[in-house]
Amino acid sequence: MIAPIPPVVPAGRMADNTQPVLALPGGLELRPWRTTDAGALVAASHDPAISRWNLLPTLTEDEARARIGRMRERWERETGAVWAVAREDGGKGAGVLTSTGIGPAGPRDEHTQNPRPGDILGLAAWINVDLDRGHAEIAYWVLPAGRGTGIAVEAASRLTDWALHQLGLHRLTLCHAVANEASCRVAEKACFRLEGTMRHALLHSDGWHDQHLHARVRGDDHNDRDDRDDRGNERP
């Protein structure tokens, strides 16, 4: 008889804990979305650059608030983890930042501080999370105010570190349309290795796109960190 394979990450690692706030350079942080952030999500859904490469439908304020509510449900069901890339406010009303990156669940008060205009610069998330098999896929987008600043690389790198070393996943993927060269640069700088091209894997408004598959697995980290500086650029 073949012995059952234990889960890579035990059930409850996410649901039994509060989604953390994770610090980023430059006074930014990754924090859970709040219903008061709905305006930023609406703006993203109307941004041509975001809608070109992301499957984000055009949203009303009510639809955006409902979508934010579903983000929380995905964390509780342990199928996804979605963060706002935001200007730092100490994590008020959001998760708990701990030395391990996950803190005990506690009461949430998302109305403690309303965001100022421009507070939300983007989104970064783990989707298709499978704790049993230790897999997840990263997704992200950046609003115009944050473009050209390197925050997509910073967010992807920080979430990767959290997913591998705090949550305990084993394999992480980053997929993008081959024509999306900016996302390919993010993958390279965040040390996601190109594994191949999947033909006609993405359907966008202009038709089918081939898709690059990048990945990082636990064990890549040591060599990647030796070969790249803190911003993910290759050392001379």
Side-chain angles (χ1 to χ4, degrees), residues 33-51 56-68 70-71 84 115 120-123 141-144 147:
W33 284 79
R34 311 166 186 164
T35 54
T36 50
D37 299 327
L41 199 54
V42 171
S45 76
H46 287 83
D47 182 84
I50 291 175
S51 62
L56 178 65
T58 302
L59 301 171
T60 65
E61 289 265 354
D62 286 343
E63 290 169 336
R65 283 189 286 270
R67 194 177 185 92
I68 291 168
R70 291 193 294 274
M71 292 176 187
I120 306 299
L121 298 177
L123 172 148
W141 46 253
V142 178
L143 285 163
R147 290 177 192 155

Side-chain angles (χ1 to χ4, degrees), residues 7-8 19 28 37 42 67 89 100 102 121 131 152 223 226-227:
V8 176
Q19 184 177 348
L28 302 178
D37 299 327
V42 171
R67 194 177 185 92
D89 65 14
T100 60
I102 299 181
L121 298 177
L131 296 185
N223 291 333
D226 284 349
D227 293 342

Side-chain angles (χ1 to χ4, degrees), residues 1-199:
M1 176 180 291
I2 299 175
I5 299 173
V8 176
V9 178
R13 179 71 61 83
M14 293 169 64
D16 292 346
N17 292 286
T18 302
Q19 184 177 348
V21 175
L22 304 173
L24 293 175
L28 302 178
E29 64 186 7
L30 292 159
R31 63 160 173 81
W33 284 79
R34 311 166 186 164
T35 54
T36 50
D37 299 327
L41 199 54
V42 171
S45 76
H46 287 83
D47 182 84
I50 291 175
S51 62
R52 181 183 182 190
W53 300 121
N54 295 270
L55 303 178
L56 178 65
T58 302
L59 301 171
T60 65
E61 289 265 354
D62 286 343
E63 290 169 336
R65 283 189 286 270
R67 194 177 185 92
I68 291 168
R70 291 193 294 274
M71 292 176 187
R72 284 195 212 112
E73 293 171 2
R74 291 167 74 180
W75 176 271
E76 292 163 357
R77 294 198 305 265
E78 301 185 315
T79 59
V82 188
W83 283 265
V85 183
R87 303 193 195 283
E88 195 170 36
D89 65 14
K92 295 177 182 178
V96 178
L97 181 62
T98 71
S99 59
T100 60
I102 299 181
R108 297 185 177 96
D109 179 11
E110 63 184 26
H111 302 291
T112 301
Q113 179 172 329
N114 290 330
R116 300 177 301 277
D119 272 354
I120 306 299
L121 298 177
L123 172 148
W126 291 115
I127 61 175
N128 302 323
V129 173
D130 186 337
L131 296 185
D132 277 355
R133 301 168 75 180
H135 296 176
E137 177 183 347
I138 198 167
Y140 50 83
W141 46 253
V142 178
L143 285 163
R147 290 177 192 155
T149 63
I151 63 171
V153 175
E154 297 287 1
S157 298
R158 183 67 183 90
L159 285 191
T160 297
D161 184 73
W162 175 83
L164 292 174
H165 303 296
Q166 275 77 57
L167 184 57
L169 297 178
H170 181 78
R171 175 177 166 84
L172 309 171
T173 57
L174 189 163
C175 301
H176 64 84
V178 172
N180 186 354
E181 296 179 356
S183 203
C184 202
R185 290 192 294 271
V186 170
E188 291 170 352
K189 290 183 177 182
C191 303
F192 279 75
R193 300 179 184 179
L194 179 63
E195 294 189 340
T197 301
M198 300 181 287
R199 296 180 302 149

